[in-house]
Amino acid sequence: MAIVDRGYSETVMEAARPKGATGGTVINSRRVGTEEAMRFWGISVQPERELVLILADRSEKKSIMKAIGESCGMRSEAHGVVMSLPVDSVVGLD
């Protein structure tokens, strides 16, 4: 999962595709929190964000995450965070 500023979801996918990602799902979101949290991290956080969910094989996970982090990480214009979540089972990908 990558969480990036609005408008950078395609940049995430451009980085992920060469590493094995075949597609993703984008969920528009809005940041909620306090100004103290924004100052704590020392960055300007855009309220409108995009979550890009990519279901990938475990063997491709690290290279996909690294590619996204390099192009869309916290120090980029996308101000992205990349993380992985375990998936125990999937239904409906027949």
Side-chain angles (χ1 to χ4, degrees):
M1 173 172 43
I3 305 169
V4 293
D5 285 351
R6 187 172 190 167
Y8 287 92
S9 58
E10 190 55 42
T11 306
V12 168
M13 290 308 303
E14 287 170 2
R17 280 187 190 104
K19 301 301 181 182
T22 57
T25 299
V26 177
I27 301 172
N28 292 312
S29 64
R30 181 173 52 90
R31 182 188 178 280
V32 295
T34 63
E35 292 300 316
E36 292 83 24
M38 290 174 64
R39 283 193 298 270
F40 175 77
W41 290 104
I43 59 170
S44 174
V45 179
Q46 183 179 16
E48 297 291 322
R49 308 280 280 168
E50 293 174 335
L51 279 70
V52 183
L53 307 174
I54 300 170
L55 185 62
D57 190 79
R58 181 177 294 181
S59 64
E60 298 171 332
K61 176 181 74 169
K62 286 187 181 182
S63 63
I64 292 171
M65 291 178 69
K66 184 176 180 183
I68 294 170
E70 288 172 354
S71 66
C72 300
M74 290 296 289
R75 299 191 196 290
S76 74
E77 291 182 9
H79 298 119
V81 176
V82 183
M83 66 189 80
S84 68
L85 302 169
V87 176
D88 293 332
S89 61
V90 177
V91 175
L93 296 178
D94 304 351

